[in-house]
Amino acid sequence: MTTPAKPANRHHKRPRGEGQWALGYREPLNKNEENKKNDDGLNVRQRIIDIYSKGGFDSIDPADLRGRMRWYGLYTQRKPGIDGGKTAILEPEELDDRYFMLRVRIDGGRLNLEQLRAIADISNLYGRGTADVTDRQNIQLHWIEIEAVPDIWKRLEAVGLSTTEACGDTPRVILGCPLAGIDDNEVLDGTAQIDEIYDTYIGDPAFSNLPRKFKTAVSGCPAHCTVHEINDIAFVGVVNERGERGYDLWVGGGLSTNPMLAKRLGVFVTPEQVTSVWGGVIGIFRDYGYRRLRHRARIKFLVNDWGVEKFRDVLEKEYLGHTLPDGPAPEQPRGGRRDHVGVFPQKDGNFYVGFAPRVGRLDGDKLHLIADIAERHGSGRVHTTVEQKMVILDVAPDRVDGIVAELEANDLRVNPSTFRRQTMACTGIEFCKLAIVETKATASDLIDELEQRLPDFREPLTINVNGCPNSCARIQVADIGLKGQLVVNDKGEQVEGFQIHLGGSLGVNPGFGRKVRGLKATAEELPDYVERVVRNFEKQKNDGETFSGWVQRADEADLK
């Protein structure tokens, strides 16, 4: 007797799509996707010029104000006086100030003196002197009024700079080694590839509506200074078995609240292929990236779900139309620090001088001063790094002592302590609407305290201070990562503080920081805490052992 088939379950629902265009899910799935469907972010430029700069802040359409204006590097900054406890409670319009943060994109970190002075002038004229070097080689200004934006663009574009796609769901600034073309030990110079990607794709409407932001690094630096492990796409210089110089391709890195390290596709990309391969990878992200949920809209989630083999297969068959040969992995990074601080020879016989501003914070006058110092000592180039530092290039041997002395005299440290050299801080509650705590001043005070308490400490030690969980300052891959939150002090008061991540690292043994249950500190307690854990490290470390290596084996009691 044949058993009758069970009737279909009429209540069974088709699996919900992830908003992937290539699979037919094109309807707006959240407010951001609806705004982008209604109008491309690139179109806001003309409205800023024709309407908003003339009508003032109140004339700005809300969808442009909190959405499309990011396509040109503009975010409303945080209204002063709103404490961190209100960050997740208030509506956007309650957090918005009538001023903007403006991000100037500096692809490859390359600035000439004319460009540096143009940014300095804009800072002083329109930004109340503010200027922060970011951990993506940009410079950010604050207190910008919408009326000033057209003139700012004219000044920037006159010297070859731009804010186009500095923010938004776009291909953002392309990281590159600040020593590209001058480092005698580099695998290859990635400058031409950065320029070609920029010229081909930045501002192209074909790639101006991505699921979310898309971060790129292209470098042949032997120190791996562009932190390829945490970019959406990275081209890392390698030499293959035939002695040819090209790139190893990495995809799917990113931090924030769901950190993931990038994965090697295992292919060898020639310099001539970089632009088309970049176009293929970003095309996959545009077409297959998840758009339904904003917090899953980065390419790292797609790479994680697909796996490397499928991603490579789709790239080669659907987007390139040809296979890529297998290639070698990069050599391990040279040295224990990846920031290019100090004085080192160039391959042309001159020297570069890398220096450390205090947690990336500068101002218009200081930018002018840096340009003047560089020019007095024969340099026409000042580049930025991904560690919130700067490098003056092309200094003649007989000018090195003079330029070092002048930089040091102006608190631009060429020979900084570990704490000045390797402490990084995001924008924080002073200007950022997402932040919960103050960061720049907290980090600066921490540096001063640690330099006094631990004057002889010389080991590499990264301390990254972040004002919220989004990890703009890369807390998960720091030796000591500080994630801002409100905590209760010993008096029972709710105050600014940090959850502490320990032992994160990139390079030889990449991994995310260890979270010890209940390990938090108020901002006031930070110097005591860091001093205590560093002294424990000094007592217990083995020969050659890094801080992150020690953390992985240390007893919890020694980490508190």
Side-chain angles (χ1 to χ4, degrees):
M1 178 176 174
T2 305
T3 304
K6 292 182 180 180
N9 182 356
R10 294 178 182 176
H11 298 290
H12 178 72
K13 293 182 179 179
R14 179 171 175 254
R16 182 185 292 182
E18 290 286 355
Q20 296 163 284
W21 284 1
L23 301 183
Y25 296 100
R26 280 193 169 259
E27 284 305 305
L29 298 161
N30 57 54
K31 189 68 175 176
N32 297 87
E33 290 301 313
E34 183 179 343
N35 286 344
K36 289 185 288 183
K37 184 180 181 182
N38 289 341
D39 189 34
D40 192 301
L42 293 174
N43 295 334
V44 78
R45 176 185 170 102
Q46 207 57 44
R47 290 195 289 276
I48 291 172
I49 294 171
D50 295 341
I51 302 171
Y52 304 147
S53 67
K54 296 174 182 176
F57 187 88
D58 292 331
S59 69
I60 304 173
D61 184 296
D64 286 343
L65 181 66
R66 299 180 194 94
R68 302 183 193 100
M69 289 177 74
R70 298 177 185 181
W71 270 241
Y72 288 93
L74 288 159
Y75 281 93
T76 50
Q77 66 188 40
R78 187 187 192 93
K79 191 179 294 181
I82 300 175
D83 67 61
K86 303 286 180 56
T87 295
I89 298 173
L90 297 179
E91 293 298 319
E93 58 269 20
E94 296 176 282
L95 288 166
D96 284 333
D97 202 356
R98 298 171 69 85
Y99 299 93
F100 293 87
M101 179 273 283
L102 177 67
R103 181 177 297 157
V104 182
R105 63 180 295 159
I106 304 171
D107 293 84
R110 292 167 290 151
L111 289 170
N112 60 40
L113 300 191
E114 184 183 30
Q115 292 170 328
L116 186 59
R117 286 176 171 136
I119 296 171
D121 285 340
I122 293 166
S123 168
N124 284 338
L125 280 170
Y126 298 121
R128 300 188 187 179
T130 56
D132 288 341
V133 181
T134 76
D135 65 350
R136 293 197 66 80
Q137 297 184 289
N138 299 306
I139 293 180
Q140 291 181 175
L141 311 177
H142 296 280
W143 300 109
I144 301 298
E145 295 179 294
I146 193 64
E147 292 86 348
V149 172
D151 186 56
I152 291 172
W153 283 341
K154 285 180 185 177
R155 289 169 180 269
L156 290 174
E157 290 160 13
V159 296
L161 292 173
S162 169
T163 70
T164 302
E165 296 182 330
C167 308
D169 297 350
T170 66
R172 299 193 183 181
V173 67
I174 305 164
L175 301 186
C177 176
L179 311 182
I182 69 165
D183 185 348
D184 201 26
N185 296 308
E186 69 182 352
V187 178
L188 76 172
D189 177 359
T191 303
Q193 286 75 61
I194 292 173
D195 288 345
E196 189 174 3
I197 292 170
Y198 182 94
D199 293 342
T200 305
Y201 293 113
I202 303 308
D204 181 353
F207 297 102
S208 61
N209 180 358
L210 302 176
R212 277 195 73 184
K213 57 191 170 186
F214 188 75
K215 297 181 176 182
T216 303
V218 181
S219 177
C221 173
H224 295 180
C225 71
T226 56
V227 291
H228 59 274
E229 303 98 325
I230 53 174
N231 279 273
D232 295 291
I233 182 172
F235 296 87
V236 187
V238 293
V239 181
N240 69 13
E241 60 187 8
R242 293 186 297 277
E244 298 169 325
R245 295 176 184 270
Y247 296 95
D248 189 40
L249 177 61
W250 296 57
V251 293
L255 297 178
S256 193
T257 52
N258 287 283
M260 299 182 195
L261 294 175
K263 297 174 174 64
R264 293 186 59 236
L265 287 197
V267 298
F268 181 79
V269 182
T270 67
E272 295 75 23
Q273 293 173 318
V274 165
T275 300
S276 63
V277 170
W278 186 93
V281 173
I282 198 173
I284 291 174
F285 181 43
R286 176 194 60 197
D287 300 338
Y288 286 99
Y290 304 148
R291 294 174 183 260
R292 183 172 67 88
L293 299 174
R294 187 81 176 157
H295 69 271
R296 276 180 51 82
R298 295 290 297 275
I299 196 174
K300 63 186 178 183
F301 294 100
L302 182 67
V303 173
N304 190 59
D305 290 348
W306 276 10
V308 166
E309 286 188 21
K310 179 176 179 179
F311 195 97
R312 177 175 174 177
D313 188 62
V314 171
L315 173 64
E316 292 175 335
K317 291 179 179 176
E318 294 187 27
Y319 288 83
L320 297 180
H322 62 83
T323 60
L324 294 167
D326 293 343
E331 297 288 335
Q332 292 292 351
R334 179 194 66 196
R337 294 179 171 96
R338 300 163 81 166
D339 56 14
H340 303 308
V341 171
V343 179
F344 298 94
Q346 300 179 182
K347 62 185 178 184
D348 62 2
N350 289 319
F351 287 79
Y352 70 85
V353 180
F355 59 93
R358 189 179 287 267
V359 292
R361 175 134 290 178
L362 293 163
D363 57 49
D365 289 344
K366 191 65 71 81
L367 292 179
H368 269 303
L369 175 65
I370 292 166
D372 292 345
I373 291 172
E375 187 172 44
R376 274 196 292 274
H377 295 277
S379 171
R381 299 188 289 173
V382 180
H383 292 182
T384 57
T385 82
V386 304
E387 304 292 336
Q388 301 179 335
K389 309 299 186 291
M390 301 183 85
V391 181
I392 296 175
L393 309 182
D394 311 321
V395 180
D398 62 347
R399 307 304 297 267
V400 168
D401 290 345
I403 196 170
V404 169
E406 200 165 350
L407 288 167
E408 289 277 348
N410 286 284
D411 197 33
L412 299 166
R413 302 292 185 200
V414 179
N415 300 294
S417 69
T418 285
F419 307 112
R420 167 71 82 94
R421 180 172 181 170
Q422 293 195 277
T423 298
M424 179 190 300
C426 73
T427 300
I429 201 170
E430 182 181 8
F431 297 117
C432 179
K433 293 181 295 182
L434 300 176
I436 300 167
V437 304
E438 210 291 318
T439 55
K440 291 288 190 183
T442 298
S444 183
D445 292 344
L446 179 62
I447 290 168
D448 290 341
E449 283 287 335
L450 294 175
E451 285 179 341
Q452 290 180 24
R453 299 180 186 202
L454 298 161
D456 300 321
F457 184 76
R458 296 287 182 267
E459 300 285 336
L461 183 81
T462 52
I463 303 175
N464 293 14
V465 185
N466 215 78
C468 77
N470 288 316
S471 200
C472 294
R474 312 200 298 251
I475 52 173
Q476 295 99 330
V477 293
D479 288 310
I480 301 175
L482 303 171
K483 182 176 77 175
Q485 61 182 68
L486 297 180
V487 300
V488 177
N489 65 13
D490 55 10
K491 298 176 183 177
E493 302 165 329
Q494 195 174 60
V495 297
E496 291 190 356
F498 299 88
Q499 182 188 62
I500 299 168
H501 298 238
L502 294 171
S505 64
L506 296 173
V508 178
N509 295 300
F512 301 126
R514 176 179 173 184
K515 286 187 273 189
V516 177
R517 184 186 298 273
L519 184 53
K520 300 173 184 176
T522 68
E524 192 175 74
E525 293 167 342
L526 271 182
D528 289 342
Y529 170 74
V530 176
E531 178 187 9
R532 184 165 64 249
V533 77
V534 168
R535 289 194 186 280
N536 288 341
F537 164 61
E538 287 190 297
K539 291 174 189 173
Q540 298 177 15
K541 69 182 176 71
N542 298 320
D543 287 345
E545 188 172 33
T546 64
F547 183 87
S548 62
W550 169 75
V551 165
Q552 302 314 314
R553 65 174 181 81
D555 291 336
E556 283 197 4
D558 294 321
L559 302 177
K560 292 185 174 180

